[in-house]
Amino acid sequence: MQITTEVVSGLERRLNVTVPAQRVKSQYDARLKRVAKTAKINGFRPGKVPLSRIQAEYGQGIQQDVINDLVRDTVFEAIEQEKIQAVGMPNIESVDVNDAGLTYKALVEVYPVVTVNSFDGLTVERQISTVNDADVDTMVDNLRKQRQSFAVKDGASADGDQVTFDFEGSIDGELFDGGAAKDFKLVLGSNKMIPGFEAGIVGMKAGEEKVIDVTFPADYQAENLAGKLAQFKINVSQVETAQLPEVDAQFLQLFGIDLAPNEGGIEKLKADVRKNMEREVKSSLRNQLKQQAFDAVLAANEIEVPKAMIAEETTRQRKLMLQQFAQQFGGAQQFDESMLPDELFRDKAERSVKLGVLISKVIADANLQVDQDRVKAMIAETAESYEDPSEVIEYYTNDKQQRAQVEAVVLEDQVVDHILAGAKVTEVTVDYQELLKRNQQQQG
């Protein structure tokens, strides 16, 4: 088999392949004889049809099958023979059968050869945050708010009150779809509505009606409403004030805490809350530092990656989003992949692929191996939040898939440590509440 390789672009290679005529003929003859054994042609018994007649009847189809099989089989032989580290499936551009044999061209993408620049010039910000007593008290209050009830009140509504009302929206006097509701309940200050909507209701009383002016955000998801000034007729039927539960025996029992002296009561609750908060802070800071380090490496190393890898990552991210939709809204049958075009994922997918290539190179260059002591420590840390830590530790230790996921996280942490060892690291103290706000913004 004759093969030549030409460079088409940075990551594209074209293979020019010629399969000898004898190999083509050999496969064609063998397939012709197999067909002859079972072919049914009027006037002949099965297996007794002359090959010339078989060739006349089936020759064209047999030849096309032989060509397809030979291209399928030899293209990977050619890739291996040329020592090409191909990515994705080859694209067959042209096929021809002539006196020399079977000739075709195959376009393949290759895995990029990457050199990671020194980390000396990188600057990474390490955030530091601690949980204080006031943060714990705020979290306990949040736990109470999550279990709050509402009682009817007289007088004007205020932030934190729950208001029940009817509303009807219009633009230039015309009602618009989705702009009306009956007996709608809203906690003022929750910021669930467009800017200005909730503020317009503050101060209204039960039985009061008024019209408020609200402008839809310029980037509102409904393009026909984006940036438009709308009027909403509001009719309030009920105002309720929030009532927080007392931190009593009934409340504490929700968190598995008894008021018995040896259980600690409210102090035990605060200790448990603090422990969970500190665990979340540690995880958040670790993820922030990892993103900072990886972003710095990406910015310092501009590389080209195969389109096939980006396409594969785009598909993976689309499927993940569809799964999330199914879990959130119940049933994937409501959604179609056409709702999620490639453009929605392309930038993120390209970033993910580039980062994966660079991090793989860092791991290879530094010969990093998974630190099993750190794996054990991470499993133990994860298990702390469960009722029976020993059961969780056993699960993660013995389940290969779960352990592999932990090992992947640990190896990423080791990569971060390796990057930071060479980079310039500046430390910035962040208030816990500010850290919480940043996390919510990133998730939103």
Side-chain angles (χ1 to χ4, degrees):
M1 188 164 64
Q2 296 179 347
I3 308 163
T4 60
T5 302
E6 58 182 294
V7 176
V8 178
S9 65
L11 296 179
E12 289 182 317
R13 305 291 182 269
R14 178 174 288 112
L15 296 172
N16 301 291
V17 182
T18 298
V19 181
Q22 182 56 41
R23 183 171 176 179
V24 179
K25 184 177 185 305
S26 176
Q27 288 211 17
Y28 177 85
D29 291 344
R31 188 179 291 265
L32 189 68
K33 290 176 182 178
R34 286 200 302 272
V35 172
K37 290 180 180 180
T38 57
K40 294 180 180 179
I41 296 179
N42 291 336
F44 297 94
R45 287 182 297 163
K48 299 298 182 179
V49 183
L51 287 180
S52 58
R53 185 64 183 274
I54 296 293
Q55 187 167 357
E57 291 282 343
Y58 302 103
Q60 189 173 351
I62 290 173
Q63 180 168 336
Q64 189 58 54
D65 288 343
V66 168
I67 291 172
N68 292 340
D69 289 351
L70 279 172
V71 170
R72 180 198 64 202
D73 296 339
T74 60
V75 70
F76 294 106
E77 292 178 25
I79 289 171
E80 184 177 358
Q81 184 173 318
E82 294 293 285
K83 296 181 171 54
I84 291 176
Q85 192 175 2
V87 175
M89 294 297 293
N91 180 31
I92 308 303
E93 294 183 320
S94 62
V95 180
D96 182 43
V97 178
N98 49 47
D99 293 341
L102 169 65
T103 61
Y104 64 89
K105 300 179 185 296
L107 189 67
V108 298
E109 287 189 291
V110 298
Y111 194 85
V113 177
V114 175
T115 299
V116 180
N117 295 323
S118 170
F119 304 137
D120 293 347
L122 303 186
T123 300
V124 178
E125 179 183 280
R126 185 200 303 269
Q127 294 183 358
I128 300 173
S129 185
T130 56
V131 178
N132 58 40
D133 291 344
D135 296 325
V136 174
D137 290 339
T138 299
M139 184 60 71
V140 172
D141 285 342
N142 289 339
L143 293 175
R144 295 172 66 198
K145 289 177 182 178
Q146 290 171 7
R147 293 159 178 81
Q148 68 185 0
S149 57
F150 291 92
V152 176
K153 64 175 277 191
D154 293 326
S157 61
D159 272 351
D161 289 345
Q162 179 171 268
V163 180
T164 303
F165 59 98
D166 300 340
F167 68 87
E168 187 176 75
S170 61
I171 295 177
D172 296 332
E174 296 291 332
L175 301 180
F176 56 87
D177 291 341
K182 296 286 188 181
D183 294 326
F184 189 82
K185 292 184 181 295
L186 176 67
V187 176
L188 300 179
S190 61
N191 297 319
K192 291 184 177 180
M193 308 297 282
I194 60 176
F197 190 96
E198 294 177 29
I201 300 176
V202 171
M204 293 185 68
K205 302 176 182 179
E208 186 176 348
E209 180 180 303
K210 76 172 183 178
V211 176
I212 62 175
D213 292 331
V214 180
T215 300
F216 282 93
D219 59 350
Y220 193 67
Q221 59 266 30
E223 294 182 2
N224 62 315
L225 301 178
K228 297 290 184 65
L229 174 65
Q231 290 73 45
F232 284 91
K233 183 169 69 175
I234 309 293
N235 192 326
V236 175
S237 57
Q238 183 172 267
V239 178
E240 299 170 284
T241 186
Q243 294 185 324
L244 299 181
E246 295 295 328
V247 184
D248 53 17
Q250 184 177 2
F251 182 79
L252 292 172
Q253 283 176 357
L254 295 173
F255 304 93
I257 299 174
D258 199 315
L259 274 180
N262 63 336
E263 287 289 338
I266 181 61
E267 294 307 318
K268 175 65 166 58
L269 175 62
K270 287 185 176 182
D272 289 349
V273 167
R274 180 186 291 272
K275 194 171 185 179
N276 287 332
M277 291 170 69
E278 289 174 343
R279 186 182 297 113
E280 291 173 359
V281 166
K282 182 179 179 180
S283 175
S284 177
L285 293 178
R286 182 170 59 203
N287 291 334
Q288 177 272 337
L289 185 61
K290 182 184 297 185
Q291 181 168 336
Q292 283 268 325
F294 288 173
D295 284 348
V297 171
L298 269 174
N301 295 274
E302 182 56 43
I303 62 171
E304 183 182 2
V305 290
K307 293 187 282 292
M309 293 178 69
I310 297 174
E312 183 178 348
E313 177 62 17
T314 297
T315 299
R316 188 192 70 82
Q317 291 187 13
R318 180 189 291 108
K319 288 181 178 179
L320 181 61
M321 184 172 285
L322 286 171
Q323 290 173 1
Q324 292 172 345
F325 283 170
Q327 292 172 357
Q328 185 175 356
F329 302 107
Q333 69 276 5
Q334 303 176 50
F335 308 102
D336 187 271
E337 290 193 7
S338 61
M339 298 168 55
L340 304 173
D342 288 354
E343 291 74 17
L344 188 64
F345 306 96
R346 186 169 289 124
D347 290 345
K348 186 178 178 181
E350 183 173 356
R351 180 189 184 280
S352 179
V353 171
K354 287 183 176 180
L355 184 59
V357 169
L358 289 169
I359 296 308
S360 295
K361 181 60 174 174
V362 172
I363 292 171
D365 288 349
N367 194 27
L368 296 178
Q369 305 292 327
V370 178
D371 186 334
Q372 294 300 329
D373 288 336
R374 291 177 70 161
V375 172
K376 292 178 183 177
M378 181 168 284
I379 291 174
E381 182 181 329
T382 302
E384 285 180 1
S385 60
Y386 290 85
E387 186 174 346
D388 187 352
S390 61
E391 185 177 313
V392 177
I393 291 174
E394 182 179 0
Y395 171 64
Y396 274 93
T397 301
N398 297 326
D399 187 288
K400 290 183 178 180
Q401 184 175 356
Q402 294 298 327
R403 187 178 182 86
Q405 291 179 1
V406 176
E407 288 178 343
V409 174
V410 167
L411 187 56
E412 279 194 349
D413 288 344
Q414 291 177 239
V415 171
V416 172
D417 291 345
H418 181 68
I419 295 170
L420 297 182
K424 179 182 178 182
V425 181
T426 58
E427 294 188 346
V428 178
T429 300
V430 181
D431 176 78
Y432 172 79
Q433 298 300 330
E434 178 62 24
L435 180 66
L436 195 65
K437 187 184 300 183
R438 290 184 186 181
N439 289 342
Q440 290 172 344
Q441 289 173 346
Q442 290 175 357
Q443 294 172 1

